[in-house]
Amino acid sequence: MDSFLVRGGRTLSGTVRVSGAKNSALKLLAASLLAEGSSTIRNMPAIADVPAMGALIAHLGATVRSDEDAYTVEVPADLGSEAPSALVSALRASVAVLGPVLARTGRAYVAQPGGDQIGKRGIDMHLAGLVGMGAEITYGPDYVEARADRLVGADLELPYASVGATENILMAAVLARGTTRIVNAAREPEIIDLADFLSGMGARITGAGSPQITIRGVDRLTPVDHVVVPDRIEAGSWVVAAALTGGDVKIDAAVPAHLRMPLSKLRALGVEFEEGDSHLVVHGPVSPTSPSRRLRAVDIVTLPYPGFPTDLQAQMLVLLTQAQGTSMLTENVHDARFRMVEELRRMGADISVEGHHALVRGPARLHGARVQATDLRAGASLVLAGLVAEGETEVLDAHHIDRGYADFAGKLRALGADVERATASAGAAA
Ligand code: EPU
């Protein structure tokens, strides 16, 4: 049994540094398979999902070495084609090997990906894209297999701007014969990071970050040396932590341009910032004695980028419990992302859920409780809730948080929070 223990009531202050983006780093490891030779990826976050993805690409034939935050991936001429269940079941991002492995070897077999239990999480658009490029797909309840001697460029229109489908198609198309156009492509900063990585390998890509990406296929790619984009979700989580507890927090290696919608919502709530090109300073507003500086309720709707990110929804839910008035938070991206509401209620939050809407009435006096991290973002958000709760909060299943936040407890402690990571031995847990 692993948990976070949080004693609430401390004001956070100081400087915190954001790590490389999880949702880019994992795809870049997959993308490194596209070029024979030795690629280096820097600013890799020290999170549990990175070695998990490393193990998967190692199984496919790569040699992965890490030296602090730099990963070197040595890719052989001949790659394996099979990603077995034991290596993919805990990791949604594992599906990202489908495109590159198919492009390199003509065949990719991937067991059904795992990851957070936050909804159905289909991969139909990934597969339709590959079929559009000439792949033959077979699948069963627990695997998908794609075959194509050489993929052929195609005009592909996504019914929804899926991050994973855009990435898989992009990674398959760079080695296809001819030109591929992805219409209604996802526009997330991590897509731009992947396109930059691939372009560094010699891929010919235009339009990444816009709704239409054009890829002119090449015969082979060469290794690259690349620095992972900062994690905008981690940065946003620190903004919420600062806003919740008051105090002044500087967030280094944050790109405010990647957080336009969340920052505008946070401003509407009453949070004040100073922005640099690669940092943010948050001036926490919460002051019980000064009504004019209280947080105000706002409505939030999650959408693909540049809309409000679903991965910051749970953190905002916690912040909204401290705002004056009733806020409505609508989740449009994943269909089971309000599972943590039950846990927040146990801490005293006043939230009701109707379908994909949550109504949050605040401000609520939160109190410590034993709560369950139901997924990565929910887990981190419950720790944030613990920062403003009276007494002690125990967040169980801390391993969810380790998947996506590097040294979460250590970074919080450095800002003055009273947080520790506790791991009970198997015997004690039994
Ligand atoms: N979807 C389908 N079919 C598809 C593709 C997507 O039905 O072929 C649906 C699924 O229900 C899915 C939703 O659309 O849940 C959104 O899918 P999308 O492809 O945009 O997201 P993803 O690639 O599955 C990535 C991140 C998520 C993040 C979303 C949206 C990784 C490994 N995961 O998921 O990150 O929420 O984009 O921004 O990159 C997290 O970090 O906590 C996390 C869950």
Side-chain angles (χ1 to χ4, degrees), residues 24 30 76 96 154 177 185 189 216 218 234 270 326 340 369 404 422:
S24 188
R177 186 165 10 97
R216 291 180 179 79
V218 297
E234 187 197 338
T326 301
M340 53 113 49

Side-chain angles (χ1 to χ4, degrees), residues 33-95:
L33 296 173
L34 285 162
E36 184 187 336
S38 180
S39 286
T40 302
I41 315 175
R42 302 175 197 277
N43 197 31
M44 289 292 272
I47 55 173
D49 273 6
V50 164
M53 192 69 172
L56 173 57
I57 63 167
H59 175 85
L60 291 163
T63 304
V64 184
R65 289 191 201 87
S66 63
D67 179 9
E68 306 212 333
D69 68 358
Y71 272 59
T72 306
V73 185
E74 181 81 41
V75 177
D78 291 323
L79 280 182
S81 294
E82 299 202 359
S85 171
L87 291 172
V88 310
S89 59
L91 191 63
R92 166 74 178 177
S94 56
V95 75

